[in-house]
Amino acid sequence: MNKYAIPIIITLLISGLNAAAQGGNRFFPEKDLITTGIYYYPEHWNENQWERDIKKIAGMGYEFVHLAEFAWFKMEPEEGKFEFDWLDKVMALCAKYNLKVMMCTPSAATPAWMRVKYPETFVMDGHYIRAEHGTRGLGSIVNPAYRRFVAAIVTEMAKRYGQHKNVIGWQLDNEPDAKPDYSPSSQEAFRQWLRNKYKTIEALNAAWGAAFWSQWYDSFDQVIIPNTNLVGWWGNNPHALLDFKRYSADAQAEFLDFQAATLRSYISKEQFITTNYTAVSTGADPRRTNKLDFATYTAYPNGGTNNIGELGFRLGNSKVILFAAEYYKNVGGVSGVMEIQPGPVNWGSYNPLLLPGTVRMWLYHTFAAGGKLASSYRFRQINYSAEQYHAGVILPDGVTPSPGGEEYMQFMKEIKALRKQYKPGATMPATLAARSTAILWNLENYWTIDRQKQTWQWDTWNYPIKFLEIAKSFGAPVDVIPETADLSKYRFVIVPAYEMADSALVKKWSEYAANGGHLIITCRTATKDRMGHFWEAEWAAPISTLIGAQVKATDMLSNSGKGEILMGSAHYSWNNWADLLAPDKNTETLAVFDNQFYKGKAAVVKHKVGKGSITYIGVDTDDSKLEQDVLHGIYTGAGATTENYPPGIYVYWRDGFYVAVNYSSDNYTMNMPATANIMVGEKILQPGGVLVWTE
Ligand code: GAL
């Protein structure tokens, strides 16, 4: 057996946060606030330009260089033959110009020789067509040969650079996405995952409801990965598909943990291990890893979508960093952006120029949300290949900073000035702490709802983000947390469309409210058990006592249909989703339906529980006005003051600094004390503007 051979790890069931891995912040001295870096691919350029480039990177103000991603062909030009002299030269140049290095494992792009001799190292799609060499992200992460090669290259890199003083840390792979893999290796790994989970085939048949359409299995060997491409999304078993998502996410996490464990045997304790998930990661679940120090995300807010107001198409989608910065903080407690769009990209529906200031605003947004590192893809715009139209921070001439590059330089200069103003030990102002909010969210609910949306108007990904935006409009500090987190830290906990639940979780929610918390639960919560089955009981049975009402039925309208709602004397409209509620005796009805045949039925209810309260919002509206007003009543009723920031104005507090960004198309005048000390920007935030101040 090859010395790198590893068994396929089949125990993929263990998931959840590793509490021990919450210490990612130790790698980032607080006084540095945020550290910046840039992706550099020396293998794309003539060696005689390397020194010029590295010197330029340092001169622009970057603090680290990101190296070796996708460079497998150069580090292992033939099977088992490793060459690092070229990388050593680049490392020496980085040291010469005082730049740290973030090393990246190259597993996302395999060399041509591997495909010739080991074609099984690639994923297969749902038609059993095997992927091939020539692009990236298509390795079959459960294939033993691929795993052997990854172990080998990661080991060689770790031995060579694991004790290197200049290496601050490692990024694993690239944008892990738990790709569906229908290859023979994956079929076998999936069956093994099922054996571990269900133990008996009877248990699987019950969980999958396999009596339906003669799906019944006599043994695990008969099971295949449910093939969405062949059968169609509506005709497949949702429980089997949910397990396939879980298996794929577990396999992805286990692959990252396997790389991390390989590195750990060689690298210094001063080097961190992370990976870079996409901001909108619908397959990979960062919370399932337990050997990484923290998770980072990649942010490409502008891919040619409309966004807020007439300038929105240049400013980008304000929700991207907003959500990712909070969500990825769950792992290791660090927020960091590994790639940030430096200008127009090549893959948007169209790729306009960014409004001047936009890249800087995105950078400040990541900083505001607690970011400890901000890196950008990429240094030089490449003159050839698939991404030749993609901006870099340097133009195709190789030497001139692009507009995004200029903005990076400005940001780095300003951060260096802010570091001088940093005072350790600042605590969050009481007005902000009084608004502290958590949003409970997990990918499993995304998977199950998105498969059975019931109405195309349901926007599964953005539904929790709508509540994040509402809480931010109040100026609240908001965390996006897993259900295992301690809720007692938060005055308000929002549970948006948490479809799969169990009685233990509902008990936890109930205790939170009894102890003085304000719980807000929305439609589509606890309607299914953890396998995605309905309860053999009333609708949403586990929460009916909790919310003090029964969900009697659900309605939805066409997109032009107009459902009306009355709350006090205020009128609202809806057409996406409406739960018709029957409140208990002691439950207050906050809003009722005001048309349709069920006019007068309750839509939003609230009741007191112990020292706190529980509100159930049974409606999803397009403009969110109803939800906004309901939440406003809850916050003010609980004694919290609120701001009223318009869409796209986000204000944060971190390390003693207030930071505001403007994604809207209008000027916004910040309401701040006359004594406030403005450090960056102006009181009137222009579109794409930023403001940093202390009070
Ligand atoms: C990212 C990816 C990078 C680069 C970039 C282009 O998603 O991680 O490698 O391809 O997109 O925008």
Side-chain angles (χ1 to χ4, degrees), residues 193-514:
W193 185 93
L194 294 171
R195 280 188 198 102
N196 289 343
K197 177 168 180 170
Y198 292 109
K199 312 288 189 275
T200 68
I201 197 66
E202 290 76 19
L204 178 140
N205 280 323
W208 284 14
F212 190 72
W213 287 350
S214 232
Q215 287 167 356
W216 204 257
Y217 299 103
D218 301 319
S219 79
F220 286 100
D221 297 331
Q222 292 178 340
V223 181
I224 54 158
I225 293 173
N227 196 322
T228 44
N229 283 348
L230 299 181
V231 182
W233 69 268
W234 51 268
N236 232 310
N237 181 326
H239 318 293
L241 287 167
L242 177 60
D243 270 346
F244 183 44
K245 286 281 189 193
R246 287 170 166 154
Y247 148 79
S248 302
D250 279 347
Q252 180 67 76
E254 192 273 334
F255 178 64
L256 294 168
D257 279 344
F258 143 79
Q259 287 206 32
T262 309
L263 284 173
R264 288 266 187 239
S265 345
Y266 302 95
I267 68 172
S268 134
K269 289 202 164 37
E270 303 314 308
Q271 297 180 357
F272 57 73
I273 302 178
T274 185
T275 188
N276 62 341
Y277 297 97
T278 55
V280 181
S281 174
T282 57
D285 182 354
R287 295 171 181 165
R288 287 173 194 245
T289 60
N290 57 30
K291 291 194 168 48
L292 277 59
D293 291 299
F294 55 90
T296 67
Y297 59 95
T298 64
Y300 291 86
N302 202 346
T305 48
N306 288 334
N307 311 312
I308 305 171
E310 61 181 16
L311 295 174
F313 77 105
R314 299 197 188 281
L315 290 163
N317 180 348
S318 65
K319 301 182 212 298
V320 172
I321 294 168
L322 180 75
F323 179 76
E326 305 304 340
Y327 173 53
Y328 289 107
K329 220 188 276 176
N330 293 183
V331 183
V334 170
S335 183
V337 62
M338 192 62 87
E339 295 176 28
I340 202 157
Q341 180 176 351
V345 293
N346 61 309
W347 45 259
S349 48
Y350 63 106
N351 298 293
L353 287 175
L354 305 180
L355 195 70
T358 301
V359 171
R360 173 170 165 264
M361 174 185 68
W362 291 335
L363 284 162
Y364 269 102
H365 192 180
T366 69
F367 168 66
K372 294 292 171 73
L373 79 97
S375 166
S376 186
Y377 178 89
R378 55 181 283 147
F379 181 58
R380 290 171 64 176
Q381 177 165 356
I382 197 161
N383 308 61
Y384 55 89
S385 199
E387 293 183 341
Q388 62 188 141
Y389 275 103
H390 192 292
V393 297
I394 291 289
L395 295 174
D397 68 3
V399 290
T400 311
S402 64
E406 297 281 358
E407 290 180 26
Y408 240 101
M409 285 157 71
Q410 187 183 349
F411 173 73
M412 294 182 290
K413 208 166 137 211
E414 289 165 348
I415 289 293
K416 281 169 192 158
L418 286 177
R419 284 177 185 165
K420 298 200 179 107
Q421 316 253 12
Y422 165 76
K423 296 193 188 69
T427 52
M428 181 181 279
T431 39
L432 299 185
R435 301 171 188 156
S436 63
T437 302
I439 294 182
L440 211 65
W441 185 81
N442 78 11
L443 258 187
E444 298 218 341
N445 287 305
Y446 169 80
W447 293 330
T448 165
I449 293 184
D450 209 54
R451 173 140 304 279
Q452 294 177 316
K453 288 171 23 148
Q454 274 299 81
T455 162
W456 61 268
Q457 292 184 88
W458 185 272
D459 186 350
T460 318
W461 185 265
N462 285 313
Y463 187 70
I465 299 176
K466 151 196 193 105
F467 292 94
L468 174 54
E469 290 198 290
I470 293 173
K472 287 309 290 181
S473 76
F474 298 160
V478 190
D479 288 341
V480 176
I481 58 167
E483 64 182 49
T484 47
D486 174 14
L487 304 182
S488 67
K489 297 197 299 203
Y490 304 98
R491 302 244 16 243
F492 305 94
V493 170
I494 306 174
V495 181
Y498 213 82
E499 192 171 52
M500 293 189 296
D502 54 38
S503 51
L505 183 58
V506 173
K507 185 158 171 268
K508 179 173 177 172
W509 294 344
S510 165
E511 285 166 1
Y512 164 72

Side-chain angles (χ1 to χ4, degrees), residues 619-667:
V619 195
D620 175 36
T621 71
D622 271 347
D623 61 12
S624 302
K625 283 208 175 74
L626 174 75
E627 293 92 322
Q628 174 103 18
D629 287 354
V630 170
L631 261 67
H632 185 257
I634 299 166
Y635 279 61
T636 50
T641 58
T642 55
E643 309 293 339
N644 186 18
Y645 298 126
I649 303 291
Y650 302 133
V651 182
Y652 295 77
W653 180 93
R654 73 162 277 184
D655 293 319
F657 301 101
Y658 285 87
V659 187
V661 294
N662 182 2
Y663 283 84
S664 84
S665 295
D666 299 309
N667 286 355

